[in-house]
Amino acid sequence: RQGSRKAPDSLINRIHAQGSIPIIVRLQSDEQPRGFHAEKAKSRKEKIRGLQYKVLDDVLTRTGRNKIKRHAKRFKMIPAMAVQADAAELEALLANPNVVEIIEDVPVPPTLQDSIPWIGAEPYGSFSGYTGQGQAIAILDTGVDKNHPFLSDKLISEACYSSNVPSLGATSLCPDNATESTAVDSALSCDPGIYNYEHGTHVAGIAAGSNETFSGVAKDASIIAIQVFSPFDNTDYCAGLNPCMLSYASDQVRGLERVYEMRETYAIASANIIKCYGSEKSQSD
């Protein structure tokens, strides 16, 4: 197996045994500025896009298959991309000199524990006397019910990044089953029959919900809703609570890139996102 040091043996063996699974491919970036705060963002995007196409074209040349290129999730600011690869495609990626590392794109469930104490806030619209007026909070979660009375007129932007992985029972929640969308209603919460479907609405309410009786931490803040989950119908992943909501790391990255792209359009104070280790944290932009 060529280039096996680029990927753990456990992942290589799993793909050979199981077939196509989602992976994240990190690409060579020695000549590119690093991090989200790199200068000349447009040039960086163009370099990353060119490198992604170069690697995908090489996979096509080596395997004669084009599906990996059609369904790739191409990150904009990070020299990486997410694909669903089978054994032959994996071997082609491992052999490519522009591929640095390959890891599994792992889906994780939403969690919500002690979020308010973590940011030093108090409930009911109090955060050291600040209310969030003129600020926006990005909620990367299971979607937000913008029609809920507690969140009336709060949403200023919405987007969806979700995945179709038939072999694992995952389907996209974006409009028309697309894997990304910034159309109106893209981030609406989904079918009430899916376990944990209301999680994002709950988080949005804690962050910035308000009414005449009580409110969230930043009662005057606006909300940027970004849906980054996919419903799974898979007993192994859902622990018997089929269907359930899980989020791929690749969709979280695309959601964060969306937040970064809007940094000059809105005064984004923070982003609330599930972490790949299964906990939530509110992070400053």
Side-chain angles (χ1 to χ4, degrees):
R1 292 168 184 168
Q2 301 182 59
S4 61
R5 286 178 296 177
K6 297 179 181 179
D9 289 340
S10 58
L11 174 59
I12 296 174
N13 293 335
R14 231 183 108 205
I15 291 179
H16 278 267
Q18 181 176 322
S20 177
I21 65 173
I23 57 176
I24 294 177
V25 182
R26 187 164 68 89
L27 306 175
Q28 188 64 254
S29 60
D30 290 344
E31 297 180 0
Q32 299 173 33
R34 298 178 180 274
F36 277 110
H37 300 289
E39 298 294 329
K40 300 180 180 179
K42 183 177 180 181
S43 175
R44 176 181 175 82
K45 289 181 181 179
E46 290 173 349
K47 289 180 180 179
I48 290 174
R49 187 184 304 114
L51 188 56
Q52 291 165 342
Y53 275 103
K54 184 176 181 180
V55 171
L56 291 171
D57 285 343
D58 180 65
V59 172
L60 173 60
T61 299
R62 292 174 183 268
T63 64
R65 303 173 188 174
N66 198 36
K67 65 180 179 64
I68 192 173
K69 185 175 181 178
R70 290 198 307 268
H71 301 296
K73 300 175 185 176
R74 301 176 182 88
F75 302 148
K76 298 177 181 179
M77 295 299 298
I78 298 174
M81 58 185 171
V83 299
Q84 295 178 43
D86 61 20
E89 292 159 341
L90 174 67
E91 293 295 337
L93 288 167
L94 290 172
N96 190 295
N98 289 305
V99 173
V100 175
E101 182 183 25
I102 298 175
I103 61 174
E104 184 175 356
D105 192 2
V106 180
V108 292
T111 59
L112 180 62
Q113 293 182 342
D114 303 323
S115 58
I116 293 178
W118 282 3
I119 61 173
E122 306 218 354
Y124 310 118
S126 174
F127 189 179
S128 301
Y130 297 99
T131 66
Q133 180 68 43
Q135 303 291 305
I137 300 172
I139 306 293
L140 289 80
D141 213 290
T142 64
V144 175
D145 181 3
K146 63 183 179 183
N147 300 311
H148 194 290
F150 199 51
L151 299 170
S152 179
D153 298 321
K154 286 286 183 177
L155 263 67
I156 56 174
S157 177
E158 50 190 321
C160 175
Y161 301 95
S162 193
S163 297
N164 291 304
V165 188
S167 62
L168 298 180
T171 54
S172 174
L173 283 175
C174 300
D176 299 322
N177 206 230
T179 57
E180 62 179 87
S181 174
T182 56
V184 175
D185 295 338
S186 291
L188 277 178
S189 54
C190 62
D191 186 346
I194 302 176
Y195 180 69
N196 257 336
Y197 83 97
E198 80 293 352
H199 190 273
T201 300
H202 188 188
V203 170
I206 292 173
S210 66
N211 62 22
E212 295 179 356
T213 306
F214 60 95
S215 67
V217 172
K219 62 182 180 181
D220 294 326
S222 300
I223 292 173
I224 296 171
I226 303 179
Q227 203 296 125
V228 294
F229 277 76
S230 305
F232 274 67
D233 191 3
N234 186 312
T235 303
D236 292 337
Y237 283 95
C238 295
L241 298 171
N242 300 34
C244 67
M245 297 287 278
L246 300 173
S247 176
Y248 279 106
S250 57
D251 292 325
Q252 297 173 39
V253 170
R254 293 193 297 165
L256 285 171
E257 288 187 329
R258 170 72 175 170
V259 174
Y260 183 73
E261 287 179 332
M262 294 188 293
R263 70 194 184 282
E264 295 180 357
T265 303
Y266 303 110
I268 303 173
S270 67
N272 187 290
I273 182 171
I274 182 172
K275 293 181 68 179
C276 291
Y277 298 104
S279 63
E280 278 186 355
K281 185 177 183 181
S282 183
Q283 301 178 333
S284 297
D285 181 20

